[in-house]
Amino acid sequence: MSPEDPRAFAFALALDDEGLATLTFDLPGEKVNKFSRAVIRELAEILLLLDREPRVRALLVRSGKPDVFIAGADIKEFVSTPPDEAGDAVRGVQALFEQLAHLPYPTIAAINGVCLGGGTELALACDYRVMSDAKKAQIGLPEVKLGIFPAWGGCTRLPRVVGLAKALDLILTGKSLDARRAKKIGLVDAAMPAPVFDDTARQFARGKLGGEKPGIRRGEHGLADFALEGNPLGRKLVFARARQTVLKQTGGHYPAPLEALAVIEEGYGKPVAVGLEVEARRILNVFGGPVQKNLLNLFFQTEDVKRETGVDDPAVRPRPVRRVGVLGAGL
């Protein structure tokens, strides 16, 4: 690859003498790691190599960015993706994450900071997840805030890992969790001290060298969760309550949470492949729609405001603000 090709620098792969492979994601020229088409292509090439390398006994996926694991997809590419191609695009990434999930040795995601959207979906495709307890470290699936739902496996894998009710709470609201709360619901296997996170994560990964593939594992859940989710009537009640809450909060004006709910309801309890196909098929119901376009526009405008300095000259630097006065008029 040439130096002009960003794919040459997005990932670095190393293999030590014990068989621990370390895949470091460090997107050049960016403050955060995010999935673009070029990054996806490079990851596909690397996973093919990893699948064929007999010396690998475990894989640790980590970030080279401080305080950021993977922030999700490159939102700008949503605009350039024709709506009728969204299903095929989703299936391509799903197949990639399935390849990661089926590597013939344990895989560990070392979440050092922000882990959102596609980053969380990649982590869910790994066998284990460990997370830093740093203040900036957050994990979640905020896709509904952009008018879509987690379609790279999030709607399929998260309920199998943390249970139906907890997964619905995360996916339908788009909220994120810190390491302590993520560990509590079983989303991550360990919450590790930030100052020693890299060393502790590697130690955790070394403990899995040559181990058996655990498959999708459920966290610890109480009797109430089992009673609700362990039978058709209980699941029906969970979905009914979730739908009622969504309608109360949105008034039915936001289709993404309702579509996510339908996706989970159709795929839950079935093989992962079935759930993934439901995600890919139903993403067409929201991607490129008017609500999604408006929410994307709102997102871009919000990002522009964050970068706004008030002047056109980039050399101008703001003076430090030491006192603030607030004037009110009316209520």
Side-chain angles (χ1 to χ4, degrees):
M1 297 179 182
S2 66
E4 291 78 19
D5 187 347
R7 296 182 299 156
F9 304 98
F11 291 97
L13 181 62
L15 179 63
D16 67 17
D17 294 337
E18 295 181 78
L20 176 61
T22 302
L23 182 61
T24 302
F25 188 7
D26 192 355
L27 191 61
E30 298 285 351
K31 294 182 179 179
V32 301
N33 289 326
K34 53 189 175 182
F35 287 118
S36 64
R37 296 183 184 95
V39 167
I40 291 296
R41 286 195 297 268
E42 183 186 353
L43 182 58
E45 295 170 2
I46 291 175
L47 288 178
L48 188 60
L49 291 174
L50 285 167
D51 191 42
R52 296 174 176 176
E53 176 52 68
R55 295 175 296 171
V56 179
R57 301 173 60 214
L59 172 66
L60 177 68
V61 183
R62 62 180 298 276
S63 168
K65 304 287 188 190
D67 304 319
V68 177
F69 179 62
I70 305 173
D74 187 343
I75 307 300
K76 293 180 180 178
E77 292 191 352
F78 286 9
V79 179
S80 61
T81 301
D84 59 348
E85 296 180 9
D88 290 339
V90 161
R91 289 183 179 91
V93 182
Q94 287 178 344
L96 191 64
F97 288 178
E98 273 288 270
Q99 189 175 354
L100 172 63
H102 289 93
L103 287 174
Y105 39 76
T107 54
I108 304 96
I111 303 166
N112 64 311
V114 175
C115 178
L116 299 174
T120 299
E121 291 174 294
L122 178 140
L124 285 167
C126 292
D127 299 315
Y128 302 95
R129 290 159 294 281
V130 296
M131 187 172 175
S132 166
D133 66 358
K135 289 184 179 180
K136 292 184 179 180
Q138 296 285 320
I139 185 169
L141 293 166
E143 282 86 345
V144 294
K145 296 180 179 180
L146 295 175
I148 55 176
F149 57 81
W152 289 354
C155 285
T156 298
R157 288 192 173 93
L158 186 62
R160 289 161 170 78
V161 171
V162 305
L164 184 57
K166 295 181 179 66
L168 289 173
D169 181 47
L170 287 174
I171 292 173
L172 300 182
T173 63
K175 67 182 180 183
S176 57
L177 304 175
D178 59 19
R180 180 186 62 81
R181 289 184 295 169
K183 172 66 170 65
K184 183 177 181 181
I185 69 170
L187 178 51
V188 300
D189 298 279
M192 299 176 172
V196 293
F197 176 73
D198 286 341
D199 291 338
T200 310
R202 289 186 183 277
Q203 184 178 357
F204 181 96
R206 292 189 188 284
K208 306 302 178 184
L209 282 169
E212 296 291 331
K213 293 280 287 185
I216 296 179
R217 298 165 298 112
R218 284 285 297 271
E220 295 182 4
H221 305 293
L223 291 176
D225 290 330
F226 179 80
L228 281 175
E229 302 174 21
N231 63 83
L233 289 178
R235 290 194 294 270
K236 187 175 181 180
L237 178 60
V238 171
F239 284 117
R241 288 178 176 175
R243 184 171 289 103
Q244 184 179 22
T245 299
V246 169
L247 290 173
K248 181 179 180 180
Q249 293 175 342
T250 69
H253 299 299
Y254 293 85
L258 291 173
E259 198 64 33
L261 186 60
V263 168
I264 298 170
E265 188 168 13
E266 186 174 345
Y268 187 73
K270 298 181 177 68
V272 169
V274 174
L276 295 178
E277 180 54 33
V278 175
E279 291 179 1
R281 171 166 43 86
R282 299 194 73 125
I283 194 67
L284 299 176
N285 294 340
V286 290
F287 190 89
V291 174
Q292 194 239 355
K293 288 181 178 179
N294 287 334
L295 289 174
L296 280 179
N297 188 44
L298 179 62
F299 171 81
F300 291 134
Q301 290 180 346
T302 302
E303 293 300 302
D304 288 341
V305 169
K306 291 179 182 178
R307 293 187 291 266
E308 179 60 55
T309 62
V311 294
D312 295 330
D313 187 352
V316 174
R317 294 290 181 266
R319 291 186 297 178
V321 177
R322 295 186 174 88
R323 299 179 66 186
V324 176
V326 179
L327 290 175
L331 295 178

